Amino acid sequence: MRDVTVSRFVPRSPPTVARMLTPEAMVEYEGSFEVRNARERDGDTLVTVGGGGVEFVLRFEETDDGLRYEQAGEAGPFDAMETVVAVEPAEGGSTVTARSSVSLGLPAPALTDRVAAWKRRGELERALDALAADC
């Protein structure tokens, strides 16, 4: 597993930012997949996403300060992927931090997981840039 962390300042209050961080918005902000379906189950939101010939489910849950989500099941580009997005107060707005752990589960994980983390960092940077632009 490789970990990546990305942070951005946004000029909005934490409650305003938290309302913007819906599961569907996070998928759209990341830009790699399209939302195909979203449904509630046992307090979680299951979002079916697809693109590039792949379709899989992300399981989202609200946390006290943002969102946590992971690839659910065996289908999907990762062997394992978990992301936590936290919103904290900052002078004049909020700091949003996205932390993600990824693994492809392939041979030579030192190389393959590094590539997965590099791609994941790009998705998270794109997501937080889009969120900041919406603010």
Side-chain angles (χ1 to χ4, degrees):
M1 293 281 282
R2 286 284 192 169
D3 299 322
V4 297
T5 302
V6 176
S7 292
R8 290 285 181 282
F9 171 80
V10 292
R12 297 284 185 254
S13 69
T16 299
V17 175
R19 283 191 298 274
M20 297 173 70
L21 289 176
T22 66
E24 296 88 345
M26 277 306 299
V27 172
E28 291 173 13
Y29 286 156
E30 286 182 13
S32 293
F33 300 100
E34 295 178 0
V35 173
R36 301 256 168 97
N37 183 17
R39 65 188 188 284
E40 299 289 324
R41 189 183 79 192
D42 299 327
D44 294 339
T45 302
L46 301 177
V47 180
T48 303
V49 301
V54 67
E55 185 173 282
F56 60 100
V57 175
L58 296 171
R59 180 182 306 113
F60 285 80
E61 65 181 80
E62 288 186 30
T63 63
D64 290 340
D65 60 353
L67 286 174
R68 178 190 169 282
Y69 58 105
E70 64 186 357
Q71 178 180 292
E74 300 293 318
F78 302 107
D79 182 51
M81 185 280 294
E82 178 182 349
T83 301
V84 175
V85 182
V87 182
E88 299 176 340
E91 187 173 330
S94 303
T95 299
V96 182
T97 302
R99 291 181 177 86
S100 194
S101 298
V102 295
S103 175
L104 292 177
L106 296 173
L111 176 62
T112 59
D113 286 356
R114 180 176 287 162
V115 171
W118 171 79
K119 176 154 178 23
R120 189 73 184 127
R121 178 182 304 282
E123 291 171 335
L124 295 177
E125 288 176 346
R126 191 168 45 241
L128 296 189
D129 287 347
L131 171 66
D134 276 357
C135 288

